[in-house]
């Protein structure tokens, strides 16, 4: 079995991302060095548990660990204060010490929640990411952003806290619903647009490989995204500069998600995919022809190109959507922050976009 290892190097820590196929069948070969204590607590959700929990439990038991687990409801609502509190009580009940390792087995929801718990319980315990969605494999499991949601908004309570290791089994993507795969692909497109034109062109040419879930193709794009993210995080772990580029499309996306109350009508990655189109429209140097090319690609694979394609019964009020942009945590002193494209493959931060321009974009995509 071929496993590729990449290293994420930040000022305070260094950890491996291991990417391979069928890794979960032999996980015990890889985990021992990243798990110093006796106790391991696996956090997963109700969809992932019947698929992969046994294999992961078995691997940790084989290395001599005492293994506990918690199975939470699947979906964004699990990134809540209430779920965080309940999970914390469960973990504290096993009397963890500072070497007790938390393991996040699942998508970005489980990864963000578990990472946040790891960062605060007994003032910090190690945690391992085992991402099982494309979104989590290309983005959320790498780089140490952890968070839960609250009434004031999404991801507003969180920390920067790096995992000790990330294990990615591309075979887990076989069971992922196509809609979730495509949502994760929204983040993949983002990487091409913001930093690598050749990668972007490759993505546009290979829709069939994506739709057929060709494993070597998926491995290749996951490796590429992880490498790009690792480089950015190494340079700017706490988002003081370059890391903000990873938010391409996100100010639009967060407004769309907020408008739909995070109720599943749109997935985060779908919103990012649409947000990337909007960011292209906001960028003076990007031609309408380029935008149409990406729309055609979305059409080919089944990602939405317009807000009405998400829900035609919703009033897509551009003023209201723009107001949500101003509530984003990236809005500083009443000024919006947008990531714009200088060209395909090169992004920059702008704080000078006027409200009227944003409203116009939302109207255009309604
Ligand atoms: P998710 O965790 O809700 O997973 C999506 C769905 O797929 C869930 O129903 C889950 O049970 C199911 N699932 C997971 N793996 C599966 C598998 N292998 N087979 C079948 N079903 C499977 O969603 P997500 O898209 O992975 O993550 C979205 C979250 O990630 C959002 O909360 C977002 O804010 C967060 N996020 C965080 C970062 C970060 O840097 N920390 C980056 C991007 C997104
Ligand atoms: N997903 C954006 C980041 O990790 O910074």
């Amino acid at each position: 079995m071929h496993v590729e290892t990449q290293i994420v190097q930040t000022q305070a820590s260094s950890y491996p991302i291991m990417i391979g196929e069928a890794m979960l069948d032999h996980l015990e070969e890889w985990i021992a060095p990243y798990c110093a204590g006796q106790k391991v607590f696996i956090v997963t959700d109700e969809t992932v548990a019947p698929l992969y929990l046994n294999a992961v439990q078995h691997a940790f038991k084989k290395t001599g660990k005492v293994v506990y687990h918690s199975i939470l409801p699947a979906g964004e609502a699990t990134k809540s204060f209430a779920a965080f509190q309940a999970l914390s009580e469960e973990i504290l009940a096993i009397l963890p010490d500072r070497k007790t390792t938390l393991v996040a087995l699942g998508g970005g929801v489980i990864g963000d929640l578990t990472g946040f718990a790891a960062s605060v319980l007994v003032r910090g315990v190690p945690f391992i990411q085992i991402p099982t969605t494309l979104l989590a494999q290309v983005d959320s499991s790498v780089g140490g952003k952890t968070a839960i949601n609250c009434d004031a908004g999404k991801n507003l309570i969180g920390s920067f806290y790096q995992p000790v290791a990330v294990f990615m089994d591309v075979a887990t993507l076989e069971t992922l619903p196509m809609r979730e795969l495509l949502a994760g692909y929204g983040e993949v497109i983002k990487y091409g647009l913001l930093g690598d034109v050749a990668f972007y062109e490759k993505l546009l040419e290979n829709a069939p490989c994506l739709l057929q879930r060709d494993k070597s193709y998926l491995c290749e794009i996951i490796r590429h995204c992880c490498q790009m993210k690792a480089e950015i995080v190494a340079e700017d772990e706490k988002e003081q500069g370059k890391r903000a580029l990873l938010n391409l499309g996100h100010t639009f996306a967060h407004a769309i998600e907020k408008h739909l109350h995070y109720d599943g009508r749109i997935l985060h990655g779908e919103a990012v995919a649409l947000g990337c189109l909007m960011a292209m429209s906001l960028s003076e140097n990007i031609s309408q022809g380029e935008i149409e090319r990406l729309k055609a690609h979305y059409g080919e694979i089944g990602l939405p190109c317009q807000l009405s394609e998400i829900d035609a019964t919703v009033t897509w009020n551009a003023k209201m959507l723009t107001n949500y942009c101003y509530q984003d945590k990236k809005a500083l002193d009443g000024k919006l922050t947008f990531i714009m494209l200088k060209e395909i493959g090169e992004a920059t931060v702008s704080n000078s976009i006027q409200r009227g321009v944003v409203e116009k974009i939302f109207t255009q995509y309604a």
Side-chain angles (χ1 to χ4, degrees):
M1 181 186 33
H2 175 69
V3 172
E4 184 179 304
T5 304
Q6 297 180 358
I7 301 295
V8 183
Q9 180 77 56
T10 66
Q11 268 184 348
S13 69
S14 166
Y15 60 92
I17 307 171
M18 296 191 196
I19 308 166
E21 201 188 311
M23 275 198 91
L24 293 192
D25 299 342
H26 308 275
L27 198 59
E28 64 279 4
E29 291 175 23
W30 315 99
I31 50 184
Y34 307 102
C35 214
Q38 270 312 297
K39 295 175 186 171
V40 168
F41 195 109
I42 304 168
V43 184
T44 190
D45 74 27
E46 284 168 351
T47 308
V48 176
L51 298 166
Y52 305 114
L53 180 59
N54 261 347
V56 175
Q57 270 177 325
H58 186 65
F60 281 102
K61 282 182 185 162
K62 264 188 150 173
T63 61
K65 306 294 171 193
V66 182
V67 184
Y68 305 85
H69 71 265
S70 182
I71 302 174
L72 306 177
E76 190 68 30
T78 286
K79 261 174 69 174
S80 67
F81 238 130
F84 166 68
Q85 184 178 0
L87 176 65
S88 298
E89 302 288 2
E90 264 192 82
I91 296 170
L92 294 173
I94 69 156
L95 303 177
D97 57 37
R98 292 231 173 93
K99 285 183 177 168
T100 298
T101 302
L102 303 194
V103 177
L105 171 66
V109 164
I110 291 298
D112 280 12
L113 170 69
T114 309
F116 181 57
S119 73
V120 290
L121 293 182
V122 295
R123 296 210 173 87
V125 293
F127 89 111
I128 289 174
Q129 289 268 20
I130 307 183
T132 60
T133 63
L134 181 59
L135 182 138
Q137 294 183 352
V138 297
D139 194 356
S140 65
S141 67
V142 174
K145 275 192 184 175
T146 84
I148 57 171
N149 307 325
C150 60
D151 289 347
K154 196 167 141 67
N155 295 334
L156 290 183
I157 301 169
S159 55
F160 287 99
Y161 192 71
Q162 303 294 339
V164 292
V166 186
F167 301 102
M168 299 185 183
D169 184 345
V170 180
T172 59
L173 301 181
E174 273 172 20
T175 55
L176 194 65
M178 182 50 85
R179 186 177 171 205
E180 296 287 351
L181 188 82
L182 292 178
Y185 187 69
E187 301 276 8
V188 176
I189 285 287
K190 174 192 84 174
Y191 283 100
L193 284 172
L194 74 86
D196 190 335
V197 63
F199 180 56
Y200 179 74
E201 291 300 335
K202 183 177 195 130
L203 295 174
L204 263 53
E205 283 161 19
N206 283 287
C209 295
L210 174 74
L211 295 173
Q212 287 154 20
R213 302 181 199 226
D214 179 305
K215 282 212 204 64
S216 68
Y217 178 69
L218 288 173
C219 256
E220 194 182 332
I221 63 176
I222 291 164
R223 278 200 298 266
H224 197 86
C225 294
C226 286
Q227 198 174 344
M228 286 181 74
K229 184 150 187 185
E231 280 167 18
I232 291 173
V233 170
E235 196 177 318
D236 176 26
E237 181 183 4
K238 302 254 167 94
E239 202 170 303
Q240 301 301 305
K242 194 172 182 189
R243 186 163 182 171
L245 301 182
L246 292 173
N247 295 326
L248 177 67
H250 279 58
T251 303
F252 291 115
H254 287 161
I256 299 165
E257 289 181 271
K258 193 173 169 95
H259 196 58
L260 296 183
H261 313 289
Y262 312 103
D263 64 3
R265 276 178 287 174
I266 190 158
L267 301 174
H268 175 70
E270 292 171 331
V272 169
L274 195 44
C276 283
L277 278 176
M278 294 179 174
M280 288 172 93
S281 295
L282 194 65
S283 307
E284 280 169 11
N285 296 346
I286 304 298
S287 70
Q288 193 54 38
E290 270 303 342
I291 298 169
E292 293 306 327
R293 219 156 69 90
L294 185 55
K295 281 187 180 175
H297 182 59
Y298 283 3
E300 193 181 357
I301 60 180
L303 274 170
C305 298
Q306 290 285 135
L307 293 164
S308 57
E309 285 177 44
I310 299 159
D311 191 333
T313 64
V314 166
T315 308
W316 293 101
N317 183 313
K319 262 199 172 57
M320 203 183 270
L321 286 157
T322 306
N323 284 343
Y324 293 144
C325 290
Y326 279 88
Q327 291 164 20
D328 196 90
K329 63 181 175 309
K330 296 184 290 301
L332 281 179
D333 302 328
K335 281 194 175 161
L336 288 179
T337 304
F338 279 98
I339 312 305
M340 318 265 288
L341 295 181
K342 286 188 187 167
E343 59 186 17
I344 303 292
E346 189 177 355
T348 182
V349 179
S350 170
N351 294 309
S352 60
I353 303 294
Q354 299 301 308
R355 169 184 279 272
V357 178
V358 182
E359 260 184 54
K360 216 167 123 189
I361 303 278
F362 277 123
T363 306
Q364 197 180 318
Y365 280 86

